[in-house]
Amino acid sequence: MIGRKHVSTVVKDTENNKAADKATTERNTAERPHPLATDLGTTTVADTVVQKIAGLAAREVRGVHDLGGGTARAIGALRDRIPGASSSIGQGVSVEVGEKQAAVDLELVVEYGVSIAELAKAVRRNVITAIEQMTGLEVVEVNINVNDVYIEDDSEQQPTRDRVQ
């Protein structure tokens, strides 16, 4: 009986400690000033800014071939052929931006042979770091959808020989 009473006391103490830790965390989060809101004014970050940062950060990771779905990439290829048109850095990226937080959705084309799980982990880490450092927003999630695998075509690599000289 003594052993059971001791276990019961330990469980109650653990539950009390968890509740106290949660209350302390909530209080510290509420008291901590946000970098975008000060006594001198507030700073807002547009969705397109976060979208561009996320797109650039995702493209920096080795193994990411492109961003966007098939239609978006086809339109991007057409846009690249128009003189004076700018490429869309935010292609394949959608974001939701609040006052203090941001959420990101990415559409990736990965290179063949790359570990998708490791790539997703690296992309997620790079995107979160870039957005949080540049904007001061807390990134609550980065969802990654791998929608294609890029396989390098051998015919693009080798020069073609004319059959008739």
Side-chain angles (χ1 to χ4, degrees):
M1 287 302 248
I2 294 174
R4 288 186 184 177
K5 185 175 182 182
H6 176 70
V7 170
S8 175
T9 304
V10 170
V11 169
K12 286 181 183 177
D13 287 344
T14 303
E15 289 172 358
N16 289 340
N17 287 343
K18 287 181 182 177
D21 288 344
K22 183 178 178 184
T24 302
T25 302
E26 288 174 358
R27 190 174 354 97
N28 288 343
T29 303
E31 293 173 2
R32 185 174 44 219
H34 193 268
L36 297 176
T38 67
D39 294 338
L40 300 175
T42 59
T43 303
T44 55
V45 180
D47 291 8
T48 55
V49 172
V50 175
Q51 183 182 29
K52 287 180 180 182
I53 293 169
L56 289 169
R59 284 180 174 87
E60 288 176 353
V61 178
R62 174 170 285 182
V64 173
H65 178 72
D66 205 355
L67 271 70
T71 306
R73 291 195 323 268
I75 292 171
L78 288 173
R79 183 179 33 242
D80 290 343
R81 294 180 181 194
I82 299 171
S86 62
S87 62
S88 176
I89 295 170
Q91 173 182 302
V93 182
S94 60
V95 298
E96 287 183 44
V97 179
E99 291 179 14
K100 299 178 181 181
Q101 297 177 328
V104 180
D105 294 326
L106 298 170
E107 297 274 336
L108 298 182
V109 177
V110 300
E111 294 176 358
Y112 176 78
V114 174
S115 166
I116 293 175
E118 291 298 317
L119 178 72
K121 185 178 179 181
V123 167
R124 194 172 278 115
R125 182 175 45 246
N126 206 41
V127 168
I128 289 170
T129 300
I131 292 172
E132 288 183 349
Q133 285 181 352
M134 292 182 70
T135 67
L137 293 168
E138 175 192 5
V139 179
V140 293
E141 66 181 13
V142 175
N143 299 310
I144 297 174
N145 180 28
V146 177
N147 60 26
D148 202 358
V149 175
Y150 175 75
I151 301 170
E152 195 168 329
D153 189 11
D154 289 338
S155 64
E156 292 176 8
Q157 288 285 323
Q158 301 171 356
T160 57
R161 295 183 183 173
D162 292 335
R163 291 177 51 190
V164 179
Q165 291 183 356

